Amino acid sequence: LIHPLAVNDKKGGGSFKKAGGRGYVEVACEQELPLGVPDIHFRIAIGAGAKRSAPRGPVSHNFAERSVAGLPRKQGLWDFNTAVDRETHTFVVCLEVLSGDSPPLPAPPPRKPGQKRW
């Protein structure tokens, strides 16, 4: 699921145009799962090739308890404009599902001075 950043509560305030192409990515499980299924660990990135962002996360979530999950709000806001392929007017969302026995992931690289935080 891809949602725009809600800029205001007025009609159209939750549009990608008003949000300047910024928004959130959520993962949804479309089937009801039995209680007791293990948590899923995942990361999310946007873009492809040179436009691919560093993955954010990991997130641990149990889809049997709640069918929708996303990154924490501080990590979850994306500027989709940075990932758009100008020829096709599309962008790629990457979901990395991690195994439960994966080693701890390294911290994301530090931001460059002056780099915007979307």
Side-chain angles (χ1 to χ4, degrees):
L1 307 169
I2 300 173
H3 304 281
L5 171 67
V7 178
N8 61 52
D9 293 334
K10 297 177 184 175
K11 184 175 180 178
S15 70
F16 284 105
K17 184 175 183 177
K18 292 265 172 117
R22 295 173 295 157
Y24 298 93
V25 175
E26 291 184 312
V27 179
C29 178
E30 295 182 344
Q31 293 191 348
E32 191 172 325
L33 299 175
L35 292 176
V37 295
D39 287 3
I40 300 291
H41 309 284
F42 65 89
R43 300 189 305 179
I44 298 173
I46 62 171
K51 293 187 176 200
R52 171 112 185 238
S53 68
R56 298 181 190 173
V59 172
S60 179
H61 184 77
N62 190 306
F63 286 94
E65 295 173 5
R66 188 166 183 267
S67 63
V68 178
L71 296 167
R73 280 286 185 207
K74 287 187 177 185
Q75 288 184 11
L77 184 59
W78 298 96
D79 180 3
F80 297 120
N81 294 307
T82 64
V84 171
D85 179 314
R86 300 295 174 206
E87 289 182 24
T88 63
H89 302 286
T90 62
F91 63 91
V92 174
V93 175
C94 302
L95 172 66
E96 295 179 6
V97 179
L98 309 169
S99 68
D101 57 353
S102 294
L105 298 169
R111 288 196 196 318
K112 296 176 186 171
Q115 186 178 5
K116 292 183 178 179
R117 289 186 61 180
W118 298 111

